[in-house]
Amino acid sequence: MSTTTTAPTPAVEGDRFATPGVHRLVEDQARRTPHADAVLCGDQRLGYAELDRRAGRLARRLRRHGVGPEVRVGIHLARSVELAVAVLAVLKAGGVCVPLDPGYPRDRLAFLLDDVAAPILLTYRHPASEPAADYPGTVVQPDDTPEDGPWDEPEGGPQPAESRPLHPDNLAWVAYTSGSTGTPKGVGLTHGPLANLALEVGRRLGLGPGDRVLQFASIGFSVAAEEILSTWVTGACLVLDPEDSLADSARLRDVTETQGVTVMQLTPAYWYEWSRELERDGLPRPPASLRLLVVGSEAVAVDKVAAWLPTGVRLVQEYGATEGTVSQLLYETTGTPADVGTWSRIPIGTPLGGVRVHVLDERLRPVPDGRPGELYIAGDSVSRGYLGRPGMTAERFLADPYGDRPGSRMYRTGDLVRRLADGNLAFLGRIDHQIKIRGIRIEPGEVESVIRRHPGVAECAVLARKTAAGTDRLCA
């Protein structure tokens, strides 16, 4: 009987991560390949040296405003070169990235900024930038000319490393997830696990120079951190859509073709719709440049996977919980469509390096291989927990009875799984009421609590129901 599944990793040394922070890894990449493309956004592009140089200047400005370890910085910017520079700059300054999707309603943006207690907001000071008008803290505009000179200085090698030394346990990123009490909860991701995630995802997916990776997820979702950082630590190029309209499948194809995208990550529901669009257009396969498609955030349908295999594009399924630092398991589907079509489900994979998983019963005892049990994420990837919510953190982050050192913790996912004979895990469902729709994790209780605020509603229940097309939608 197996208690845990573990993948080896060189990034963990003793009781802490030996991997430097992501910003240091990007600085190293800038020295190795200063002129290689790091960011591509429409007709704008930044090489690694220029990205590092611009981020360094913005980091110095942020430090003058008091940004340093544990200081949270709201980033309210559309997909743009400035967004890429801002993310790296906050990390170089030693601060904490709190990305805010400009598409969020104003009330939600105000709640997030207040909840995370961010004293600095990176945004544009114009009417389209909703949070800036009422924000009580300091607003920094990334498009301002810095005090120490313009950005467009003559090209050269990257500047000397100027980022601050940070402990692997320092906070690096805050991502918000749905909350059963009606309010979102911020998950604190730290530097060591985040750097390890970027390196391990890059290794398992085979990312490297020459790849162009599409940034698809909402910047407010934790998977955006994976898309951005795994691209940069491997020397690939991050592709951003300046029109921010990738929800349109025709636009997705256009961006993929014109920008030569080689790697993208989609939610299953979006992937299904995109596949149907390709079929309706009579196209036998996706754009020729695409070599790898990562599908994550929820279980995928066997028939959809089998139908995709003849395209020749690698298909990898990714499983993850934000609380375990974004992603923990990967599985690549191989074989013939006929063989795969006979499977009952697609596995969710084996752990990334630095990640351990337990399959336990209700008494936290290991279950035999092949038997259902609840999935717990353990190892060095476990996040700090929920910011400002110690009770909720204590409920979901438990002491790890199978840990290899004192103080080891594990995160209770609420997902029911079983371990297969080959070591892969298979997802069986949820043990609670949480659901996923279009890859977004939803607590029905959060929606119910908002509906109950309406004066005409005494009581309500929110459920997921299948549509005629076979996709899920919320009904109240």
Side-chain angles (χ1 to χ4, degrees):
M1 179 174 68
S2 172
T3 299
T4 65
T5 300
T6 307
T9 174
V12 181
E13 217 173 67
D15 63 350
R16 57 174 291 178
F17 278 92
T19 305
V22 169
H23 50 293
R24 289 290 179 86
L25 297 173
V26 178
E27 289 170 0
D28 292 343
Q29 188 63 47
R31 292 188 190 89
R32 290 193 297 269
T33 59
H35 302 295
D37 286 342
V39 181
L40 183 60
C41 184
D43 58 0
Q44 291 184 291
R45 63 181 66 219
L46 290 182
Y48 271 92
E50 187 178 4
L51 171 65
D52 184 61
R53 204 161 44 236
R54 291 192 180 190
R57 287 192 182 127
L58 181 53
R60 289 195 293 274
R61 292 173 58 205
L62 292 172
R63 289 191 196 116
R64 293 190 189 108
H65 289 291
V67 175
E70 302 296 320
V71 176
R72 299 153 196 180
V73 180
I75 303 175
H76 181 262
L77 299 167
R79 285 190 177 98
S80 60
V81 165
E82 289 80 13
L83 173 63
V85 170
V87 166
L88 184 57
V90 172
L91 296 176
K92 285 170 76 74
V96 183
C97 291
V98 186
L100 305 167
D101 190 326
Y104 285 169
R106 183 171 184 168
D107 287 350
R108 186 177 181 92
L109 290 171
F111 166 81
L112 297 180
L113 282 170
D114 180 68
D115 185 74
V116 81
I120 306 290
L121 175 63
L122 266 168
T123 190
Y124 300 112
R125 197 185 297 272
H126 55 60
S129 182
E130 291 284 357
D134 303 320
Y135 179 64
T138 301
V139 175
V140 176
Q141 301 178 69
D143 51 347
D144 278 354
T145 301
E147 299 90 331
D148 54 351
W151 277 357
D152 55 352
E153 67 178 16
E155 284 195 18
Q159 296 178 342
E162 53 184 325
S163 54
R164 291 183 172 181
L166 294 164
H167 191 278
D169 293 334
N170 278 138
L171 206 60
W173 198 287
V174 175
Y176 274 81
T177 65
S178 180
S180 58
T181 61
T183 56
K185 49 190 185 290
V187 180
L189 309 180
T190 52
H191 277 277
L194 201 58
N196 186 71
L197 168 79
L199 289 168
E200 281 297 303
V201 167
R203 179 182 68 84
R204 290 278 293 265
L205 298 183
L207 302 182
D211 272 321
R212 291 187 172 187
V213 182
L214 184 66
Q215 201 283 294
F216 179 84
S218 161
I219 191 64
F221 292 170
S222 63
V223 73
E226 177 186 318
E227 291 174 328
I228 296 169
L229 304 180
S230 64
T231 298
W232 286 343
V233 303
T234 57
C237 176
L238 185 71
V239 177
L240 301 165
D241 178 23
E243 296 187 15
D244 203 18
S245 57
L246 293 174
D248 179 89
S249 58
R251 176 66 183 172
L252 175 63
R253 181 175 182 84
D254 180 61
V255 170
T256 303
E257 290 180 333
T258 58
Q259 304 291 32
V261 171
T262 62
V263 179
M264 69 169 65
Q265 179 166 339
L266 304 177
T267 63
Y270 193 95
W271 170 47
Y272 301 158
E273 179 58 32
W274 195 45
S275 297
R276 284 194 292 268
E277 290 285 344
L278 294 175
E279 293 172 6
R280 282 197 291 267
D281 292 341
L283 300 170
R285 57 158 290 147
S289 62
L290 190 66
R291 71 167 185 85
L292 170 63
L293 175 67
V294 181
V295 181
S297 299
E298 59 187 284
V300 295
V302 172
D303 61 328
K304 305 295 185 184
V305 173
W308 180 267
L309 291 176
T311 67
V313 176
R314 284 181 63 199
L315 182 63
V316 173
Q317 183 175 354
E318 186 174 86
Y319 169 92
T322 300
E323 291 86 348
T325 307
V326 189
S327 297
Q328 293 83 52
L329 304 168
L330 290 180
Y331 180 81
E332 180 168 0
T333 304
T334 58
T336 67
D339 289 339
V340 173
T342 64
W343 297 359
S344 60
R345 56 177 51 88
I346 304 296
I348 56 176
T350 55
L352 297 171
V355 176
R356 292 187 299 119
V357 298
H358 306 310
V359 183
L360 308 177
D361 64 16
E362 64 278 2
R363 296 184 181 179
L364 302 185
R365 299 174 303 189
V367 301
D369 291 354
R371 298 281 185 87
E374 186 175 357
L375 177 62
Y376 288 77
I377 305 299
D380 296 276
S381 70
V382 178
S383 71
R384 182 180 290 184
Y386 301 119
L387 301 184
R389 293 171 172 81
M392 192 175 293
T393 297
E395 179 184 338
R396 303 294 294 193
F397 293 81
L398 311 179
D400 181 2
Y402 309 102
D404 53 4
R405 63 176 184 271
S408 294
R409 298 183 307 145
M410 60 183 186
Y411 169 68
R412 182 180 184 181
T413 67
D415 287 335
L416 194 66
V417 301
R418 65 183 177 90
R419 185 175 286 106
L420 305 177
D422 61 3
N424 283 289
L425 295 180
F427 176 77
L428 304 178
R430 292 288 300 177
I431 64 169
D432 56 19
H433 300 297
Q434 192 182 90
I435 56 178
K436 282 191 175 182
I437 293 185
R438 293 188 296 280
I440 301 171
R441 193 169 72 179
I442 296 171
E443 291 275 6
E446 179 177 353
V447 184
E448 291 168 356
S449 68
V450 173
I451 294 174
R452 289 193 191 100
R453 296 174 194 166
H454 191 283
V457 176
E459 193 54 77
C460 71
V462 172
L463 304 171
R465 288 289 182 262
K466 292 287 185 185
T467 67
T471 58
D472 287 326
R473 68 179 299 175
L474 286 181
C475 295

